[in-house]
């Protein structure tokens, strides 16, 4: 017997004075009866004190509560799971009436079942093809074992019967079994058969090296698995093109390892895929695995040009120097950072900013600053200010800026910005239109004039034609433009016509922006009158604008026509049109070249041997920029600067017959430009930096070893670790120091198909870029085997269902019995005194 409280035992001290009183009692009773009555009273007091202490006694119980866990993940045959339900029903039938049970299905979570019939119904639905793939795609056995502990009542023995193939894919079985053992919960196992349908998979694909040189033969080794002998074909793909394939016979009793040799012909981070095509198969998800091989040796350069044919001589000159050159047209910019990282440098030779989205320009900026890529811009009518790059993310990573001052001999210009401010322009469109108008004001010279007119159903003069000498006043007027109302373009055009007709400038120009369809009017006739009056008209069609009308007006007005669906490109269009109209950003003549500074890019070349140029784009040098070459007029020609981890280079002339014909006939053209481009390409050499990659379930773990030139470990490095996923989302990660010269960074893979990691040691200017590909869920890998800790569990049979049950000690209170006995003792004592 045990007591809940011992405090009431102090009341036993009351027996001392009671015994003294009774010793001198004057009661005239026989001694035997007297002492018997006294003893019963003392016993009653003792029982009362004991009852107040809340006594209880322990009893042994072999009542049992069973928890049945049935694994229904994809690796388990549904027929086997269905048989397990029948076994559960047989077990339930043999239980005693005082026993109880619970039933759960386990896969990527836990599902309670009211009875075996409910489980049978669900499994039959899955067998008929209505499967819950999301629930069955993983085996969380460890979590399930710990979760069902809450089902056990305190007064019964506890036992878990686990029906599974033993292939845990998420969680840690040993820790769960240890916890259950400490809590005296028995775990028994009933092994289920794995998938019975014919199935084959790729367990792994590994190149013999992850860094290769161009032209090197790399051996890809694929480890395959199958549960049925069958023919199959293994293919290696690069850029969705089959570069090798092999017919094989898969055998479940042999080592299905296949190797294939492939020549590395594409430099950069190349993506390779192994694809298995078996004769019979259940799950196609496990027939593909990806890997990345970084191919070096030749720098890979991407050049964008409006007319790629004009770059053929320049391309040949670079290729003769061992560079790999990919020349693309205006729509050749990669859509993802991962694709852009396949190139070591990007050259924008003749492509306007209006052909690039804001996202693409921001991607290029990150490519340079965060990933060490090289960026160069060559001069043309679509570069720098002429190309609309004023105040763009790309201009931020170039050593020369698009800002310039108009030459004194340039003719004065009067410009009117005619902006649609109807209700459809609300939000970003009107905000970006105001921003574009302000950028236009900043580009005008002191002799220029600017006017701003908005139109909805009528014309609204935001700013009368005035000198551009006071840009802030013009900007304040521009900010008064608010969207609202209908669309009537004619009143606005007429107001602009009247405004410019009175101006005395030599160049009179209108930029018209609209995103809707105007009310019927003689727009073409008015545009013709403007042309006769020496006024030119350019139009910008945004979104669902009347493109045919706007294009016709631009043709009649002898201007240029632009169209865009993205409002964010409006500022680039306005700045490009402003510079194009004034033509103040270009100098065309015969210019010699002057060397300004000594730099490795110019090593081996004398100033006097550099060819002359026929023109260039006017720019200004940014602070902290190295100006290497200039025209004899003093304007910048070639400049270079570092931005973050990368390098930006600007050459204000071009490399086509337009301004660079003298360069193209120079026999050292290829060597000069190959040397210059190699000076900006991304560097992947990392002396003293060793990286070891591993995958731990849904985590990518990189162990880093850092040593100096003397091979001594380097401690205390402040690493900058950034990752970019398949959605181009960048995240920063913490690198932990785990030992002497050792570090570790862990990245969650989540649901990303690919993940790239940049590690940068700013102290020693060391950088490494790693790539990984998320494999298919481990549930579909046939290479899995039963966990060794589960294998050692006792097996379940219906006959041994209740064998070796550990009885449970239950505590029952006996206070009520003590109160009853105390009452009987007290009554008995009173009776003895009356006899």
């Amino acid at each position: 017997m045990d007591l809940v409280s011992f405090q009431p035992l102090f009341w036993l001290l009351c027996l001392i004075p009671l015994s003294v009183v009774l010793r001198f009692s004057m009661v005239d009773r026989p001694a035997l009866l007297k002492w018997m009555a006294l003893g019963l009273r003392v016993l009653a007091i003792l029982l009362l004190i004991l009852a107040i202490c809340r006594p209880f006694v322990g009893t042994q119980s072999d009542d049992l509560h069973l928890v049945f866990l049935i694994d229904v993940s994809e690796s388990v045959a549904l027929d086997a799971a269905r048989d397990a339900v029948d076994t559960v029903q047989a077990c339930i039938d043999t239980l005693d009436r005082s026993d109880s049970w619970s039933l759960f299905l386990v896969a990527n979570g836990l599902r309670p079942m009211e009875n075996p019939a409910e489980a049978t119904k669900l499994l039959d639905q899955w067998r008929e093809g209505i499967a819950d793939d999301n629930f069955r795609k993983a085996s969380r056995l460890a979590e399930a074992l710990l979760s069902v502990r809450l089902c056990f009542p305190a007064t019964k023995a506890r036992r878990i019967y686990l029906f599974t193939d033993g292939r845990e894919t998420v969680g840690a079985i040993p820790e769960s079994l240890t916890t259950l053992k400490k809590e005296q919960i028995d775990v028994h196992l009933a092994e289920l058969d794995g998938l019975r349908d014919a199935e084959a998979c790729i367990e792994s694909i590994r190149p013999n090296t992850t860094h290769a040189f161009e032209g090197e033969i790399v051996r890809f080794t694929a480890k395959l698995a199958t549960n049925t002998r069958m023919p199959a074909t293994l293919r290696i793909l690069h850029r969705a093109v089959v570069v090798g394939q092999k017919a094989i016979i898969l055998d479940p009793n042999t080592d299905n390892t296949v190797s294939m040799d492939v020549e590395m012909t594409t430099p950069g981070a190349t993506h390779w895929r192994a694809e298995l095509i078996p004769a019979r198969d259940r799950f196609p998800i496990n027939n593909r695995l990806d890997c990345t091989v970084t191919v070096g040796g030749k720098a890979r350069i991407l050049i964008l040009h409006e007319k790629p044919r004009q770059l053929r001589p320049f391309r040949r000159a670079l290729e003769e120097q061992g560079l790999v050159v990919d020349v693309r047209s205006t729509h050749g910019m990669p859509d993802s950072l991962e694709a852009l990282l396949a190139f070591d440098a990007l050259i924008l030779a003749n492509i306007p900013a209006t052909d690039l989205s804001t996202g693409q320009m921001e991607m290029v900026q990150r490519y340079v600053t965060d990933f060490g890529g090289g960026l160069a811009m060559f001069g043309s009518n679509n570069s720098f200010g002429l190309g609309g790059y004023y105040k763009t993310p790309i201009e931020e990573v170039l050593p020369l800026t698009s800002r310039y001052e108009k030459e004194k001999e340039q003719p004065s210009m009067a410009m009117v910005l005619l902006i649609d401010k109807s209700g459809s322009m609300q939000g970003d469109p009107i905000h970006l239109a105001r921003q574009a108008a302000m950028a236009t004001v900043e580009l005008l010279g002191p002799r220029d004039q600017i006017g701003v007119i908005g139109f909805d159903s009528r014309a609204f003069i935001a700013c009368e034609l005035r000198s551009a000498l006071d840009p802030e006043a013009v900007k304040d007027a521009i900010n008064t433009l608010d969207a609202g109302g209908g669309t009537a373009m004619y009143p606005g055009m007429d107001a602009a016509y009247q405004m410019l007709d009175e101006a005395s400038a030599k160049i009179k120009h209108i930029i018209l922006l609209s995103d809707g369809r105007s009310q019927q009017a003689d727009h073409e006739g008015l545009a013709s009158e403007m042309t006769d009056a020496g006024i030119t008209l350019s139009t910008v069609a945004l979104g669902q604008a009347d493109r045919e009308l706007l294009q016709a007006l631009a043709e009649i007005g002898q201007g240029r026509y632009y169209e865009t669906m993205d409002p964010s490109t409006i500022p680039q269009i306005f700045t490009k049109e402003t510079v194009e109209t004034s033509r103040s950003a270009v100098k065309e003549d015969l210019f010699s070249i002057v060397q300004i500074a000594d730099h490795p890019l110019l090593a081996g070349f004398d100033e006097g041997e550099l060819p002359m140029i026929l023109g260039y784009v006017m720019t200004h040098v940014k602070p902290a920029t190295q100006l290497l070459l200039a025209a004899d007029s003093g304007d910048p020609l070639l400049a270079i600067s570092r931005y973050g981890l990368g390098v930006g280079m600007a050459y204000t002339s071009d490399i086509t017959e337009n301004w660079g014909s003298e360069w193209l006939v120079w026999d050292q053209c290829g060597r000069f430009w190959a040397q210059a481009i190699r000076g900006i390409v991304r560097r992947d050499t990392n002396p003293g930096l060793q990286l070891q990659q591993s995958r731990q379930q849904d985590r990518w773990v990189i162990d880093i070893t850092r040593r100096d030139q003397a091979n001594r470990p380097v401690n205390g490095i402040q690493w900058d670790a950034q990752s970019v996923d398949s959605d181009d989302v960048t995240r920063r990660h913490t690198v932990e120091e785990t030992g002497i010269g050792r570090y570790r960074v862990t990245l969650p893979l989540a649901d990303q198909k690919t993940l790239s990691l940049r590690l940068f040691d700013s102290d020693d200017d060391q950088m490494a870029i790693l790539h990984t590909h998320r494999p298919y869920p481990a549930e579909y890998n046939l290479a899995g085997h039963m966990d060794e800790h589960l294998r050692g569990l006792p097996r379940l049979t219906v006959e041994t269902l209740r064998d070796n049950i550990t009885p449970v000690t239950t505590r029952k209170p006996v206070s009520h019995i003590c109160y009853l006995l105390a009452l009987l003792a007290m009554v008995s004592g009173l009776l003895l005194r009356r006899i």
Side-chain angles (χ1 to χ4, degrees), residues 168-188:
E168 167 76 342
T169 61
V170 180
I173 288 289
E175 288 80 355
S176 298
L177 293 179
T178 300
T179 301
L180 294 174
K181 185 176 181 180
K182 289 180 180 179
E183 297 180 4
Q184 296 183 339
I185 300 176
D186 297 336
V187 182
H188 289 240

Side-chain angles (χ1 to χ4, degrees), residues 45-81:
I45 293 173
L46 290 174
L47 288 172
L48 285 174
I49 293 174
L50 183 62
I52 296 174
C53 291
R54 288 177 292 170
F56 58 86
V57 295
T59 60
Q60 297 290 322
S61 171
D62 61 354
D63 291 344
L64 179 66
H65 183 86
L66 286 174
V67 171
F68 299 100
L69 284 176
I70 302 178
D71 185 353
V72 294
S73 59
E74 292 281 16
S75 62
V76 174
L78 288 177
D79 289 340

Side-chain angles (χ1 to χ4, degrees), residues 744-759:
R744 171 174 287 185
V745 57
T746 302
L747 286 73
L749 292 176
D751 295 325
Q752 297 300 326
K753 296 180 180 179
T754 63
L755 198 62
S756 299
L757 174 68
R758 187 217 67 180
L759 289 168

Side-chain angles (χ1 to χ4, degrees), residues 219-222 234 246 257-261:
R219 173 164 292 183
F220 290 91
T221 301
L234 179 66
K246 184 179 291 187
T257 301
V258 181
S259 298
M260 239 183 289
D261 295 332

Side-chain angles (χ1 to χ4, degrees), residues 539-555:
T539 58
V540 182
L542 172 63
Q544 304 300 319
D546 191 341
R547 298 173 182 238
E548 293 183 2
L549 173 60
L550 293 175
Q551 187 171 9
L553 293 178
E555 292 177 0

Side-chain angles (χ1 to χ4, degrees), residues 384-386 389-392 395-396 400-406 439 442-443 579 584-585 617-623 636:
F384 303 104
L386 283 172
Y389 287 98
Y390 177 59
K391 285 190 173 181
T392 64
E395 188 189 57
E396 294 180 10
L400 302 178
T401 177
S402 302
R403 297 183 183 129
Y404 57 90
E405 294 179 1
K406 291 183 62 177
E442 295 177 2
L443 292 172
V579 178
S584 56
V617 180
M618 294 176 61
T619 57
H620 275 189
V621 179
K622 287 183 179 179

Side-chain angles (χ1 to χ4, degrees), residues 251-303:
D251 191 327
N253 301 315
T254 61
D255 181 18
N256 298 290
T257 301
V258 181
S259 298
M260 239 183 289
D261 295 332
V262 179
E263 181 181 1
M264 298 291 101
T265 59
T266 306
T270 56
H271 179 197
W272 301 86
R273 168 169 289 181
E275 185 174 272
L276 180 65
I277 307 175
R280 291 174 290 167
D281 199 42
R282 171 68 181 274
F283 303 118
I285 190 175
N286 57 8
N287 294 339
R288 296 183 299 273
L289 275 181
D290 301 325
C291 65
T292 297
V293 177
T294 302
V295 182
K298 291 184 179 181
R300 189 178 183 199
I301 313 301
L302 174 61
I303 305 178

